[in-house]
Structures are given as C-alpha cells and as structure tokens.
Amino acid sequence: MAATIAMEAPRGAPRPWYRVLYLQVLIGILLGVLVGWLWPHFATNDWIKALGDGFIKLIKMVIAPIIFCTVVSGIAHIQDARKVGRVGIKALVYFEVVSSFALILGLVIGNLFQVGHGLAAKPDAAAVATYVKQAEAQKSVDFVLNIIPDSVVGALARGDILQVLLFAILFGFALMALGERGHRLREIIDDTAHAVFGVIAIVMKAAPIGAFGAMAYTIGKFGPAALGNLVGLIALFYATAALFVVVVLGLIARLVGFNIFKFVVYIKDELLIVLGTSSSESALPQLMEKLERLGCSKSVVGLVVPTGYSFNLDGTNIYMTLATLFIAQALGVELSFTQQLTILVVAMLTSKGASGVTGAGFITLAATLTVVNPVLVPGMAIVFSIDKFMSEVRALTNITGNGIAAVFVSWWEGELDHERLHANLNKEIDPSDVETAITTG
C-alpha cells in the first residue's frame, strides 16, 4: 500500500521552504488579505472570485470517487459484516455526544459574554428572506429521503456525500459477499483510489492560488468596514471554537494517548486550505489519506469522515447557539431557560446534513430561530454581513473535529496503530510528503 511504502521510505534532504504547501497557502492567504484591503475593486473582479471557486470545484470533482472507492474498499476487505454496523453505531454515538458538548459550550459562553447587548439593532426581514424560505423547506423526513439517490449516476454527478456513502456501503457489502469472485474488482477499485489520490496531488498544487482568490474576494467584498460593532461576536466565536478544540477535543485526544496540538500541526496543510477557501470539503480527500497514514483503520476512515461531514459539525453547532443568543440580545428579546434548552434540541437536528448546501450555516440558523422564536428570524440580517468571516472558523472546527473522530473510533475499535500515530505526530516521518506516498504506491 502507498501509505506503508511512504512510511518506510527514508527521508531525503529537506525541501526548500518555498515548496512547502502550507507555507505557499499561507502566503496566498496573506496576499489575498492585502489585495482585498488595498484594492477592493480589483479583488471583487469575477476572475479573482473564480480563482477560489475554481479550486473548490476541482476538489469537489474528486470527492465522490474518493468516498466511493475508499468506503467500498474498506468494507470489501472486512470479513465480518457486523463490524461495519458496529463502527457506524460507535461513530454516531461519538458524533451526538461531542456535538452536544459543542452546543452547550456555545450556549454557556453566549450567556457569560453577552456581546449583543447595547447594539440596538434593527431587524431586516427582506435581507434574509431567501435563507428563511430554504430553512422552511427543509423537513426531517425530506432529509432522510434525500439520503436515497434517485440514481447512482446522479448522486456521483452531484457529489452528494450522503447519497454516495449509502450506495458505497451497499456496494461494499455486495462485493464482500462475492468472496474470491470479487477479488479482481476489489483490486481495480483499490488502484482507482490510488489514481484519484494522484489527481488530488496535482490539484493541490493550485491550492495557494485558490486560497488567494477566495480570501481577496472575501476581504474586498465585505472589507474591514463590514465588521463594525460585530467584531465582538467574531472574536467570541473564534475564542469559543478554540476553547472547544483545546479543551473538548484535547481531552478526547489525551484519552486516546496523543497531544491535540501535535495533531493540529500534523493537519496544518488541510487547515490552511480550509482557511483560504472557507470550505471544509476542500480538504476532505487529503484528510482521509493523511488519517490512514497516521495509523487509523482504512475502513473506519472511509465510514467516519464522510459521515462526519453531515453528522459531526461541531463548528456549526457552536455558531448556532452563539448566533441565536447574540441576535436575541441585540434585539432585546429575553430567552427563557426553556427556550434556550429548545435551542439545543432544535440545533442538534437542524445541523444534520448541512454540508454541501450553499450558505448551510446560515440556513440552519434560520431553521433554528424559526422554531425557538419567530421574532428572532429578521434579526439574522444583523450577522449576515459577517457570516463569511464566521464560516472560516466553522469549517476549521468541523474538519478538526472529524479528524479526531476518525482517530477516536479507530482507537475504540482497537484498530489504531499507536506506533505510526506517534511516529507521525512526533515528526519521525514526513507527514506532508503526499506526493511520495502516491507516486510510490
């Protein structure tokens, strides 16, 4: 396997700093901020925006085949069909427990630091009418039915993660049942996965350009003026998300036996790509490949990470409780203890399936506010102008949470290679050399 070969390959001379991906992406982000700030008219040009959008489309192009090949291969190589169900149940239990902590943390911080008070904001129903309409159209039964694709080709073409995941699980079970007769097909799927990861290695060379375009357009369009009095909410959200990663995910990491800060450093390339593009999906394929090389079970990574993109949105959960309280405080609406408990229950449901929807965080916020107190819905316009800045941290928290989830479930299953885990996190082998892993395999 490519992962094994990459691990055993001797480390060569260190690469020049200008060839290190995360430094390239960081430079792209900084240049984007500078261009967006100094030349906003140039930064909001359609071609600048296309740089960021084009990179995300390139990544999304390969997400469906990566998920299909990884999940099918992982399941097909398992001898015991019950293991798949066991891993799925463990993952869902983990998701619900950790998501609850994220919601509660957001609610506690929002009550302790009431940054919305004194804003004297005026609600604008027209500005958020589209999001409210989309939120009203989303029902629980529709979400469940939408997991089932109308056609397999359609699901793969749209890149719908949950639909592709469902078909991949069924296909994996069918291939597993074939036994030896399915050996040749399993090899073809494994080789296809390696080839698609090769495509990822090529596409990732454009990451700095994509990060530059996305960041320049964001700063140019919304600019420092868009922050205004709302900087308090942004700072509070950033601090709460950091607290969640360090404390909640840090405790989970310690339970497994590793340091959360070392893990964050290990996935720094992916985090910077997410920061530049505001999309956690942009780093999904590379995250899955890195988690396998970290020592996580291939079958666990294939099941947990794609599922987590719809069921384990820790950043989105924190955002919804904080933003709901902020809007209520800004409008002078007092929320009772019962209403705040309702936020927890409703947000837990509305956050599911949010990934892959444009403006997902904003739509789920609209759905939550509609149930908690309809009076708050027009107040969404208060945070509308800064939602793009909030989405950065939502995506960063989501991808970190899903990475930790895969490691934890692998450990829970007894399939975590601790030796490889510590070798990677302690930099005894080079975790960033994706090209070596792919080309050697």
Side-chain angles (χ1 to χ4, degrees):
M1 294 294 292
T4 307
I5 295 171
M7 183 176 174
E8 293 171 354
R11 296 186 64 178
R15 287 174 295 170
W17 66 269
Y18 53 83
R19 292 190 59 191
V20 177
L21 181 63
Y22 80 90
L23 288 177
Q24 293 175 348
V25 174
L26 185 58
I27 291 170
I29 291 172
L30 294 175
L31 288 175
V33 171
L34 193 64
V35 170
W37 178 35
L38 297 178
W39 299 284
H41 292 294
F42 172 74
T44 52
N45 183 287
D46 286 344
W47 287 103
I48 296 296
K49 183 175 185 293
L51 293 176
D53 292 345
F55 174 71
I56 293 175
K57 288 186 73 175
L58 282 170
I59 293 293
K60 286 187 174 182
M61 171 182 72
V62 292
I63 285 178
I66 281 290
I67 289 176
F68 176 78
C69 293
T70 305
V71 173
V72 170
S73 178
I75 294 175
H77 286 286
I78 297 174
Q79 301 300 318
D80 183 7
R82 291 173 297 180
K83 177 186 173 181
V84 179
R86 188 172 67 244
V87 170
I89 291 172
K90 287 180 177 180
L92 290 175
V93 169
Y94 173 89
F95 293 159
E96 294 308 308
V97 171
V98 177
S99 294
S100 298
F101 276 112
L103 288 166
I104 293 170
L105 181 63
L107 205 59
V108 170
I109 297 296
N111 279 293
L112 287 177
F113 302 93
Q114 301 187 4
V115 293
H117 276 310
L119 197 59
K122 295 181 180 179
D124 183 0
V128 294
T130 303
Y131 293 96
V132 175
K133 187 175 181 180
Q134 285 182 266
E136 289 173 348
Q138 287 188 337
K139 298 178 182 178
S140 299
V141 65
D142 293 331
F143 169 67
V144 173
L145 287 176
N146 284 337
I147 296 176
I148 306 171
D150 294 325
S151 72
V152 174
V153 175
L156 289 167
R158 287 191 305 274
D160 190 306
I161 291 179
L162 284 182
Q163 291 185 356
V164 173
L165 182 63
L166 175 64
F167 176 69
I169 291 172
L170 296 176
F171 195 91
F173 274 120
L175 193 55
M176 178 174 58
L178 286 176
E180 281 302 312
R181 286 186 299 163
H183 178 69
R184 183 178 299 176
L185 184 54
R186 279 195 296 268
E187 285 189 339
I188 291 173
I189 291 174
D190 287 344
D191 290 341
T192 303
H194 285 304
V196 179
F197 274 120
V199 175
I200 289 292
I202 297 170
V203 170
M204 291 311 296
K205 294 183 184 298
I209 299 172
F212 165 78
M215 190 58 70
Y217 180 79
T218 298
I219 299 296
K221 183 176 181 179
F222 299 102
L227 306 182
N229 293 330
L230 302 176
V231 70
L233 175 60
I234 296 175
L236 188 63
F237 180 49
Y238 279 42
T240 306
L243 186 66
F244 174 81
V245 171
V246 173
V247 177
V248 178
L249 297 184
L251 287 173
I252 295 171
R254 180 172 288 275
L255 177 65
V256 176
F258 66 96
N259 185 287
I260 185 65
F261 296 106
K262 289 183 178 179
F263 180 81
V264 169
V265 171
Y266 178 74
I267 62 168
K268 61 183 180 297
D269 290 10
E270 291 69 36
L271 293 176
L272 282 170
I273 291 165
V274 169
L275 178 64
T277 60
S278 297
S279 169
S280 54
E281 284 188 355
S282 62
L284 184 148
Q286 197 172 337
L287 176 69
M288 292 174 70
E289 196 272 344
K290 263 193 172 178
L291 287 169
E292 283 186 42
R293 285 192 288 125
L294 189 63
C296 295
S297 164
K298 181 176 182 178
S299 57
V300 170
V301 170
L303 287 170
V304 172
V305 176
T307 309
Y309 268 66
S310 282
F311 290 90
N312 189 39
L313 303 172
D314 300 323
T316 304
N317 287 329
I318 295 170
Y319 167 77
M320 287 205 289
T321 47
L322 267 183
T324 301
L325 289 178
F326 177 83
I327 291 170
Q329 293 159 8
L331 295 179
V333 177
E334 290 293 330
L335 293 179
S336 66
F337 180 72
T338 303
Q339 285 176 312
Q340 294 200 27
L341 286 180
T342 305
I343 296 174
L344 295 179
V345 177
V346 174
M348 181 67 77
L349 297 174
T350 55
S351 64
K352 300 296 183 279
S355 77
V357 182
T358 303
F362 217 59
I363 293 168
T364 51
L365 176 61
T368 304
L369 293 177
T370 302
V371 176
V372 174
N373 190 340
V375 175
L376 301 176
V377 175
M380 288 176 60
I382 303 168
V383 297
F384 181 73
S385 62
I386 61 164
D387 186 69
K388 183 68 175 176
F389 295 96
M390 309 283 269
S391 69
E392 312 276 356
V393 179
R394 284 201 301 262
L396 287 171
T397 310
N398 289 343
I399 190 172
T400 306
N402 282 319
I404 295 294
V407 178
F408 181 84
V409 176
S410 291
W411 170 77
W412 194 356
E413 267 293 291
E415 295 187 355
L416 179 64
D417 189 331
H418 286 273
E419 187 177 335
R420 287 176 63 185
L421 174 74
H422 292 296
N424 275 282
L425 296 185
N426 294 327
K427 299 182 180 179
E428 293 173 17
I429 54 178
D430 188 356
S432 63
D433 195 1
V434 180
E435 294 166 59
T436 301
I438 293 166
T439 55
T440 311

